Amino acid sequence: MTRTIISLEERDKSWLERRARETGMPMAEVIREAIRRMQRAEDESFDRVLAATRGLWRKGDGLRYQRKLRQEWK
C-alpha cells in the first residue's frame, strides 16, 4: 500500500473524524472506502451509457464503416 499525505479543509477533517468514530473505522479506511465507491459509481455510469446506446447503429457493420472513414484520413 502506498502512503499519501493530503490537505483537508477543517470542516472536511471534522467530518472525516466524525465519520470514523461513527463507523469504528480508521480515517484512512473511510477514505479508501470513499475512493472505492467513487470508482464503482464511475464504472456503473459507464456501463449504463453503454447499455443505453447499444444497438443504435443500424447501417450495417460498424467496424467496416469505421475502417472506411479512416481510410479517408490517409
Side-chain angles (χ1 to χ4, degrees), residues 44-56 58:
E44 291 168 3
S45 176
F46 180 72
D47 291 343
R48 280 194 301 273
V49 168
L50 285 180
T53 59
R54 184 177 319 152
L56 290 178
R58 306 227 188 265

Side-chain angles (χ1 to χ4, degrees), residues 11-37:
R11 66 186 180 105
D12 295 333
K13 176 77 166 38
S14 296
W15 178 89
L16 183 58
E17 289 171 334
R18 186 174 60 253
R19 181 71 177 164
R21 274 194 312 274
E22 291 170 357
T23 61
M25 297 180 350
M27 287 189 295
E29 184 58 29
V30 173
I31 293 169
R32 286 190 289 268
E33 177 61 24
I35 291 168
R36 286 190 291 269
R37 286 183 183 198

